[in-house]
């Protein structure tokens, strides 16, 4: 890696991860990214649903979106994903922190025009949010595909950054009669709420995710 690589972690270098598997693991753990790019000198950062596609990331939006069209032109962009795993409470204000996993990817996007590839990608989006859900719902029809702009963001450079463990208190503070430690954070599923006009039973994908998570118990 060159010393001036744009994805090189400059601060807390011991937390950096450059292996492809580490980057993929952070991406696979979520489905919401923040996408940064610049159009006509104006920076934008927008939240977008995503799905990893090999060494790339699938993004989608409306064909009427000016920002999506800007990305489709192949301008340089940055995709970032973060997960907060715990609050880290130290004895001093200065050393309070959080345990997290994050990834920053640099690259460009290209349009996916093929209808079959678009339909497959949109099904992958649905399964990225809830595994198994795509088979339980209707695929996109011709009009929906035509109204959707699908982009494949190619990851040229990427780095992950991970903080784990407890607080790093100053030695002089360790004898203070103050609590220090870690408060884990978890994302939980609540009991499902059916649509007002829905009369069918919960599908397998929902039953599975709430059973694994303990929701509704």
């Amino acid at each position: 890696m060159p010393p001036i690589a744009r994805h090189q972690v400059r601060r807390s270098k011991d937390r950096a991860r450059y292996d492809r598997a580490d980057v993929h693991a952070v991406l696979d753990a979520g489905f919401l990214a923040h996408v940064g790019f610049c159009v006509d000198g104006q920076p934008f950062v927008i939240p977008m649903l995503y799905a990893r596609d090999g060494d790339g990331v699938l993004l989608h939006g409306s064909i009427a979106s000016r920002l999506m069209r800007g990305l489709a032109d192949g301008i340089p962009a940055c995709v970032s994903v973060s997960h907060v795993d715990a609050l880290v409470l130290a004895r001093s204000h200065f050393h309070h922190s959080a345990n997290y996993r994050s990834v920053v990817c640099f690259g460009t996007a290209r349009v996916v025009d093929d209808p079959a590839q678009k339909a497959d990608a949109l099904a992958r989006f649905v399964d990225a949010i809830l595994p198994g859900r795509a088979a339980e719902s209707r695929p996109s029809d011709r009009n929906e595909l035509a109204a959707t702009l699908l982009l494949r963001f190619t990851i040229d450079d990427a780095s992950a950054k991970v903080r784990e463990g407890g607080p790093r208190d100053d030695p002089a503070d360790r004898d203070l009669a103050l609590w220090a430690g870690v408060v884990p954070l978890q994302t939980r599923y609540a009991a499902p709420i059916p649509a007002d006009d829905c009369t069918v039973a919960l599908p397998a994908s929902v039953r599975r995710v709430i059973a694994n998570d303990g929701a509704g118990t």
Side-chain angles (χ1 to χ4, degrees), residues 133 136 192 194 198-207:
R133 179 59 182 165
E136 301 168 347
C198 180
T199 59
V200 300
L202 282 177
S205 64
V206 178
R207 294 199 308 270

Side-chain angles (χ1 to χ4, degrees), residues 14-199:
D14 60 310
R15 300 177 187 174
R17 309 283 192 276
Y18 298 103
D19 290 344
R20 179 180 300 177
D22 291 324
V23 171
H24 288 180
V26 176
L27 291 174
D28 291 346
F31 51 79
L32 178 66
H34 286 83
V35 183
F37 53 96
C38 195
V39 176
D40 298 329
Q42 172 62 53
F44 293 92
V45 177
I46 56 176
M48 299 182 69
L49 297 177
Y50 72 90
R52 183 173 68 86
D53 179 33
D55 286 331
V57 173
L58 296 172
L59 304 169
H60 79 292
S62 169
I63 58 172
S65 168
R66 179 175 65 91
L67 298 182
M68 286 293 291
R69 293 199 305 270
L71 278 175
D73 288 337
I75 59 176
C78 175
V79 173
S80 66
V81 174
S82 300
H83 310 285
V84 179
D85 297 317
L87 303 179
V88 180
L89 309 183
R91 293 174 178 86
S92 69
H93 294 181
F94 182 80
H95 287 293
H96 277 65
S97 186
N99 286 341
Y100 60 88
R101 294 159 291 143
S102 65
V103 69
V104 176
C105 306
F106 298 93
T108 56
R110 65 173 178 83
V111 178
V112 178
D113 284 324
D114 181 78
Q117 292 182 3
K118 289 177 72 172
D120 179 69
L122 292 176
R124 294 183 62 181
F125 269 106
V126 174
D127 277 342
I129 297 173
L130 183 61
R133 179 59 182 165
E136 301 168 347
S137 49
R138 177 181 64 78
S140 301
D141 62 26
R142 180 184 304 176
N143 292 333
E144 292 166 341
L145 291 176
T148 302
L149 183 60
L150 176 66
L151 304 178
R152 188 182 190 277
F153 176 85
T154 299
I155 300 174
D156 296 327
D157 302 300
S159 61
K161 193 173 181 182
V162 178
R163 190 203 189 278
E164 301 172 313
R168 276 68 156 170
D169 275 311
D170 290 334
D173 291 335
R174 291 174 184 166
D175 291 332
L176 296 176
L178 300 170
W179 192 90
V182 172
V183 181
L185 297 176
Q186 294 180 337
T187 299
R188 298 289 305 276
Y189 292 96
I193 303 172
D196 292 340
D197 56 355
C198 180
T199 59

Side-chain angles (χ1 to χ4, degrees), residues 188-189 208-217:
R188 298 289 305 276
Y189 292 96
R208 183 165 53 248
V209 75
I210 63 176
N212 291 340
D213 193 59
T217 61

